Amino acid sequence: MTEVSHERGELTARGKSGLGLVETHYVELFQEGLELESGVRFGPITVAYETYGELSPRRDNVILVCHALSGGAHAAGWLPGQKKPGWWDIMIGPGKAFDTNKYFVICSNVLGSCYGTTGPSSLDPKTGKPYGLTFPVVTIRDMVNVQARLLDYLGIARVLCVTGGSMGGMQALQWAVAYPERVRSVVAIATTWRHSAQQIAFNEVARQAIMADPAWNRGDYYGTEGPRMGLAVARMIGHITYLSDVSMERKFGRRLRNRERYGFDFTSIDFEVESYLRYQGQSFVERFDANSLLYLTKALDYFDVTQGTGALTDAFAGSKSLFLFITFSSDWLYPPQQLKEVAQAVRRAGGDATYCEINSDYGHDAFLLEHAAQAPLIASFLQRASEHQFEGDSGEGI
Amino acid sequence: MTEVSHERGELTARGKSGLGLVETHYVELFQEGLELESGVRFGPITVAYETYGELSPRRDNVILVCHALSGGAHAAGWLPGQKKPGWWDIMIGPGKAFDTNKYFVICSNVLGSCYGTTGPSSLDPKTGKPYGLTFPVVTIRDMVNVQARLLDYLGIARVLCVTGGSMGGMQALQWAVAYPERVRSVVAIATTWRHSAQQIAFNEVARQAIMADPAWNRGDYYGTEGPRMGLAVARMIGHITYLSDVSMERKFGRRLRNRERYGFDFTSIDFEVESYLRYQGQSFVERFDANSLLYLTKALDYFDVTQGTGALTDAFAGSKSLFLFITFSSDWLYPPQQLKEVAQAVRRAGGDATYCEINSDYGHDAFLLEHAAQAPLIASFLQRASEHQFEGDSGEGI
C-alpha cells in the first residue's frame, strides 16, 4: 500500500519535499522479552524508527505515524541514494498536514516487517539463522506494545496524535483502546475496526499464493531466490484491491500494450493493465519479504479492536482522545461504513469523533495520494487537539 | 461460476428436479476447419450438448442456453451416477422459467472448455497427444460460431431465445450481433458487453497464479498432477468475486473453524471463510482443467461486442430481437451499470429492451441462485417473445 505509483512520484518530485535528508535509527528493546498476545514471550526486538521536526521542551508535540502493510519507518524525507522520498512525504514536512515546524513526528517499522524491525527474515540470535516460521505470530496489539516501549525509550509519556492509514489506522485505533491515557488524539484513515469475511478472504488467497510456491519451502527460503512467483501473485491480488474500478478504467481501460491487435497467445502481454500488474508484482518481490507478508496479513485478519471488551462502544468507553476518521468514497477494500461505525461508537461512548468521507476515485490508495483533501482536515484537527484540555494534563511530558 | 454451493444444493434437492435422467450427446463438426477470429483455421471440433423438452413441428420453440466459465453442456436434469443436477436445474425443467413442457432447450459446452467439447485437454488427432498450448486462442465469437453450426446440424434455423449468465450472457449478446436473423429474443444475465480494466485484472491474476506453478510446465502437464496449487489459488480469487461482501459476512463473518481461539500459526485454519475458500479451490482442481481456465478467461477479456462496429448503439442497429437484461444489485464482478448501458444502446438503436435489476445479496452468483426472482420475469418475457411478430417469420424453421 506504500507502493509509489506514477502519480505519487509526480506529486513528490525531489526538491518539493522540505525535509531533505533523514536518517533511520535502530534501538534494541525488550531484552527481557515481550509477552505477545499469543502468550509467547519474545525478544529482544530491534526497532527501526525515524523522527522529523523537534521535540518541544514540554514534550507535548509528538505525532506517532503508523505505517500500512508494506510501509516502513521511512515515512518522509530522503534517505541517501534513494530515488523516492518516504511513503507519506506528501503529508509530513514543513508546512504540510503533519507540520514538522510545529510537531515532532515519529514513525517506526512494525514488529514482523522486513524493514529494520525484527521480523521473520531477521537473524535469530539463538541459531544465527533467520527465524522463518519460528518467528512468533504477532498481532496489531503486539505492534502497538512495541511502539509504546519505543516511546518510553524516547522519554515520551503521551502523544499529541497517533495516526495512520489502512493497517496504520488499526494501530491508531488500538492505541486509543490500549493506552487511552497516552493518546490526546487519533487520526484513523481508510481502515476498519476488524476484518470482514471478504477482507480475510483476500488475505487468505494472498497467503495461499505464497505458500503454493514450492520455493517458499515452509518459510525456510533465506539464501535462495525464495517464492518470487507466489509473492508476485499475492501482490497482484492486493494491488487490485488498492485501486478503484473507476481509477483502473481511467488509467488503463482496455488499452493494448505496444500492439494494435490481440496477441492470441499466452506469451505476449495484451493489455496495459496486465503489464502494470505484473510490474507491480515483480517490483514488490525485489523489496519485500514473503514471510513478512504472511505475518502481517495474519495480524490484519486477527485484529478486532473490541477483543476483550465485546461491543464497539465499550472498547472506546475509557478513551478521552479526540478522534478524526477519514474515509474515501471509492475505497472498496475498507469501505467507509466500517469506520463510520467506529465514529458512532465513540460518540455513543461519550467521546469526541469527527468523521469525514472524502470523495475520491483513487480507491484505498487515496490515503497515500489525496493530500490536498486530507491536509486541511488534519491540520485543523491537530490544532484543536493541541488546545484541547486533556484529563491529567498537569502530568504532561515524562 | 457454476459451483454448487450449499445453498444451491438445498434449492435443488434430488426429486424436486422434474427432468429426471438426461444424456449428453457428442457430434463432430467442422471437418473442413473453422476460421477462428485469430485467423487460424481449426478443426475438427467435437461438440458436447444436451437437449431437454421436445422440438415443436414448426421448430420454433428452441431456447439456446449458454454456460458460464466453469459450466458445461449439462445444464439440467441428472446424469447417471452424479450427486448433483445440472448447473441451471433450478431454471430449466417442467414448469420452470425455461419450461420444458413448452420449449426445446439446448445447451452445448463451449469451444476451449474441458467438458466434452474440444479444448486444450483434448487429443490433437495429428499427434495423438493433448493440445496443451498448441490449442488456438479462441474468442466468444468463435464459441458462438460453433453453436451456430450445431444448430445447423440439428436443423434449427432460428431460436426463440438465446440466454445465459456471466460468460453465457456474453455469448447471448454476441448471438444477437452476429446472427440477428436467427435470434428472436435474448435474455442476458449478470454480464457485460466488454471487460473493464478491473475485470481483466482479476482474470490476469488468476492466469498468473496458474502459470506461476512449476507443475503447469508451459501447459504441457497432461499425464501428471498438473498445476494443482496454482489452479486452486486462481479459483479462490475467482470465488471471492462471485460472492458479495454481504453474503460472505452473513455466511461466515469472523467465525472460527472448529476452534475457540486463534491458532497463531500458519498450519492450522483460523476462520471458516478460509476453510471454505480452500475447499472451493481444491474441489475445482478435481473437476477443471487449468489450461481451459487460461483459454476461457482470455476469451472473456478479449470479448467486446462492439468489435467491428465501434459504438454500442451501432452493434445492435441490425438486431430485431427482443431483449431482457437481468442484473443483481450486489454483483460487483459485473456491476448492473454495464448491462444497463447495453439496454440503453438497444433502445437508442430502435430496439426493444427490458432491463431489470434484482435486489439480491448473493453477488454475481445470484444468477445461479435467485430463481424465484428471475423465473417469472423470464417466463413472461418468453411468452411475449413467442407471440412477437418477427421479421421474416414466414421462413420460420429450416
Side-chain angles (χ1 to χ4, degrees):
Chain A
M1 277 171 266
T2 64
E3 199 58 53
V4 175
S5 73
H6 295 303
E7 293 106 66
R8 207 168 317 143
E10 288 160 19
L11 292 170
T12 57
R14 189 189 267 270
K16 285 194 183 173
S17 169
L19 276 174
L21 281 179
V22 298
E23 195 183 345
T24 310
H25 309 280
Y26 300 87
V27 58
E28 195 174 276
L29 303 171
F30 297 103
Q31 297 297 338
E32 80 290 8
L34 164 67
E35 169 116 10
L36 298 172
E37 194 171 339
S38 64
V40 171
R41 181 166 287 274
F42 180 77
I45 296 167
T46 297
V47 178
Y49 68 98
E50 296 190 5
T51 68
Y52 322 112
E54 294 203 11
L55 184 59
S56 65
R58 287 176 52 87
R59 296 168 181 247
D60 60 357
N61 69 333
V62 175
I63 291 174
L64 178 65
V65 170
C66 305
H67 67 75
L69 188 66
S70 62
H74 180 46
W78 300 81
L79 288 175
Q82 293 201 347
K83 290 177 188 163
K84 297 180 292 196
W87 59 268
W88 227 12
D89 192 80
I90 57 168
M91 298 285 283
I92 302 167
K96 297 184 183 179
F98 299 101
D99 187 347
T100 50
N101 290 331
K102 294 182 189 173
Y103 307 118
F104 181 63
V105 176
I106 303 171
C107 182
S108 66
N109 186 217
V110 298
L111 182 64
S113 180
C114 53
Y115 288 142
T117 293
T118 304
S121 60
S122 304
L123 294 184
D124 179 351
K126 291 200 195 76
T127 65
K129 294 179 185 164
Y131 286 101
L133 287 204
T134 69
F135 188 78
V137 169
V138 297
T139 65
I140 300 290
R141 193 194 298 183
D142 297 330
M143 294 173 190
V144 163
N145 287 340
V146 172
Q147 290 160 358
R149 179 66 68 90
L150 174 66
L151 293 190
D152 295 343
Y153 165 78
L154 295 173
I156 294 161
R158 182 179 295 161
V159 300
L160 170 61
C161 179
V162 55
T163 185
S166 201
M167 189 179 86
M170 295 183 192
Q171 295 162 59
L173 293 178
Q174 180 62 29
W175 262 98
V177 168
Y179 298 100
E181 75 289 351
R182 298 188 73 170
V183 177
R184 288 178 72 100
S185 73
V186 173
V187 178
I189 310 174
T191 190
T192 183
W193 56 284
R194 68 177 184 192
H195 264 193
S196 68
Q198 191 188 63
Q199 288 160 338
I200 294 170
F202 276 117
N203 276 349
E204 171 65 4
V205 180
R207 285 189 293 266
Q208 289 293 319
I210 290 170
M211 298 195 286
D213 189 332
W216 177 61
N217 193 32
R218 301 197 60 76
D220 185 13
Y221 56 78
Y222 300 103
T224 73
E225 285 241 301
R228 296 176 61 87
M229 305 294 274
L231 181 57
V233 170
R235 182 59 170 183
M236 289 168 72
I237 296 165
H239 212 83
I240 297 175
T241 67
Y242 305 154
L243 306 181
S244 76
D245 191 11
V246 169
S247 67
M248 286 188 102
E249 197 60 20
R250 188 174 302 151
K251 200 166 175 172
F252 308 108
R254 293 177 57 80
R255 205 163 63 248
L256 298 178
R257 171 79 176 172
N258 300 334
R259 52 171 61 247
E260 308 251 306
R261 85 192 272 273
Y262 299 151
F264 291 105
D265 61 39
F266 293 99
T267 47
S268 52
I269 293 178
D270 285 301
F271 296 99
E272 280 283 1
V273 66
E274 296 174 324
S275 163
Y276 175 80
L277 281 178
R278 291 191 203 182
Y279 173 80
Q280 294 295 340
Q282 286 312 314
S283 64
F284 192 66
V285 166
E286 304 303 330
R287 73 176 181 87
F288 210 75
D289 176 52
N291 281 337
S292 276
L293 195 79
L294 296 181
Y295 280 84
L296 298 187
T297 56
K298 195 49 111 171
L300 289 169
D301 291 346
Y302 279 179
F303 180 63
D304 179 350
V305 82
T306 69
Q307 215 149 26
T309 63
L312 198 51
T313 310
D314 298 331
F316 292 95
S319 177
K320 302 293 175 219
S321 312
L322 299 185
F323 289 86
L324 172 62
F325 300 105
I326 299 177
T327 63
F328 299 93
S329 54
S330 62
D331 182 353
W332 62 278
L333 180 60
Y334 291 110
Q337 180 58 28
Q338 292 180 321
L339 215 41
K340 196 171 190 176
E341 288 166 12
V342 183
Q344 290 163 339
V346 168
R347 287 176 195 150
R348 274 199 308 274
D352 183 318
T354 303
Y355 171 82
C356 298
E357 182 179 320
I358 292 175
N359 189 42
S360 169
D361 287 339
Y362 282 119
H364 182 62
D365 260 359
F367 82 94
L368 296 166
L369 300 168
E370 294 279 10
H371 65 114
Q374 290 181 93
L377 290 172
I378 291 171
S380 66
F381 175 81
L382 291 177
Q383 188 61 40
R384 187 161 83 87
S386 303
E387 294 157 4
H388 181 69
Q389 192 65 29
F390 191 73
E391 237 171 64
D393 256 359
S394 57
E396 191 70 70
I398 194 122
Chain B
M1 275 169 271
T2 64
E3 199 59 52
V4 174
S5 73
H6 295 301
E7 292 107 67
R8 208 169 315 144
E10 288 159 20
L11 292 170
T12 56
R14 189 189 268 269
K16 286 195 182 173
S17 171
L19 277 174
L21 281 179
V22 297
E23 194 184 345
T24 310
H25 308 280
Y26 301 87
V27 58
E28 195 173 277
L29 303 171
F30 297 104
Q31 297 298 338
E32 81 290 7
L34 163 68
E35 169 116 9
L36 299 171
E37 194 171 337
S38 64
V40 171
R41 180 166 287 274
F42 180 76
I45 296 168
T46 297
V47 178
Y49 68 99
E50 297 190 5
T51 68
Y52 321 112
E54 294 203 11
L55 185 59
S56 65
R58 286 176 54 88
R59 299 170 180 246
D60 60 357
N61 70 334
V62 176
I63 292 175
L64 179 66
V65 170
C66 305
H67 67 76
L69 187 66
S70 62
H74 181 45
W78 300 81
L79 288 176
Q82 294 201 346
K83 291 176 187 162
K84 297 179 293 195
W87 58 269
W88 227 11
D89 192 78
I90 59 168
M91 298 285 282
I92 302 167
K96 298 184 183 180
F98 299 102
D99 187 348
T100 51
N101 290 332
K102 295 182 188 172
Y103 307 118
F104 181 64
V105 176
I106 304 171
C107 182
S108 66
N109 186 217
V110 298
L111 181 64
S113 180
C114 53
Y115 287 143
T117 293
T118 303
S121 60
S122 305
L123 295 184
D124 179 351
K126 291 201 197 75
T127 65
K129 293 180 185 165
Y131 287 102
L133 287 204
T134 68
F135 188 78
V137 168
V138 296
T139 65
I140 300 291
R141 193 193 298 183
D142 297 330
M143 295 173 191
V144 164
N145 287 340
V146 171
Q147 289 160 0
R149 180 66 68 91
L150 174 66
L151 293 190
D152 295 343
Y153 164 78
L154 295 172
I156 293 162
R158 183 179 295 163
V159 300
L160 171 61
C161 180
V162 55
T163 185
S166 201
M167 189 179 86
M170 294 183 193
Q171 295 162 58
L173 294 178
Q174 179 63 27
W175 262 99
V177 168
Y179 298 99
E181 77 289 352
R182 297 188 74 169
V183 177
R184 287 178 73 100
S185 74
V186 173
V187 179
I189 310 174
T191 190
T192 183
W193 55 284
R194 69 177 183 191
H195 263 191
S196 68
Q198 191 188 63
Q199 289 159 338
I200 295 170
F202 276 116
N203 276 349
E204 170 66 3
V205 179
R207 286 188 293 266
Q208 289 292 319
I210 290 169
M211 299 195 285
D213 189 332
W216 177 60
N217 193 30
R218 301 197 61 76
D220 184 13
Y221 55 77
Y222 299 104
T224 74
E225 285 241 299
R228 296 176 62 88
M229 304 295 273
L231 181 57
V233 170
R235 183 59 170 183
M236 289 170 72
I237 296 165
H239 212 84
I240 298 176
T241 67
Y242 304 154
L243 306 180
S244 76
D245 191 9
V246 170
S247 67
M248 287 188 101
E249 197 60 17
R250 189 174 300 152
K251 200 165 178 175
F252 308 107
R254 294 176 57 78
R255 206 165 60 248
L256 298 178
R257 171 80 176 170
N258 300 334
R259 53 170 62 249
E260 308 252 303
R261 84 191 272 274
Y262 300 151
F264 291 106
D265 62 36
F266 293 98
T267 47
S268 52
I269 293 178
D270 286 301
F271 296 98
E272 279 284 2
V273 66
E274 295 174 324
S275 165
Y276 174 80
L277 280 178
R278 289 191 204 182
Y279 172 80
Q280 294 295 340
Q282 286 313 313
S283 65
F284 191 66
V285 165
E286 304 303 330
R287 74 174 180 89
F288 210 77
D289 176 52
N291 281 337
S292 276
L293 195 79
L294 297 181
Y295 280 85
L296 298 188
T297 55
K298 195 49 111 174
L300 289 170
D301 291 347
Y302 279 180
F303 179 64
D304 179 349
V305 83
T306 68
Q307 215 150 26
T309 63
L312 197 51
T313 310
D314 297 332
F316 292 95
S319 176
K320 302 291 175 220
S321 313
L322 299 185
F323 289 86
L324 172 61
F325 300 105
I326 299 177
T327 63
F328 299 93
S329 54
S330 62
D331 182 355
W332 60 278
L333 180 59
Y334 292 110
Q337 179 58 30
Q338 292 181 320
L339 215 42
K340 195 170 191 178
E341 288 165 12
V342 182
Q344 290 163 339
V346 168
R347 287 177 196 150
R348 273 198 309 272
D352 183 317
T354 303
Y355 172 83
C356 298
E357 182 178 320
I358 293 175
N359 190 41
S360 169
D361 286 340
Y362 281 119
H364 182 60
D365 260 359
F367 82 94
L368 295 166
L369 300 168
E370 294 278 11
H371 63 117
Q374 290 181 93
L377 289 173
I378 290 171
S380 66
F381 175 79
L382 291 177
Q383 189 59 39
R384 187 161 82 88
S386 302
E387 294 157 4
H388 182 70
Q389 190 65 30
F390 192 74
E391 237 172 65
D393 257 357
S394 57
E396 191 69 70
I398 194 123

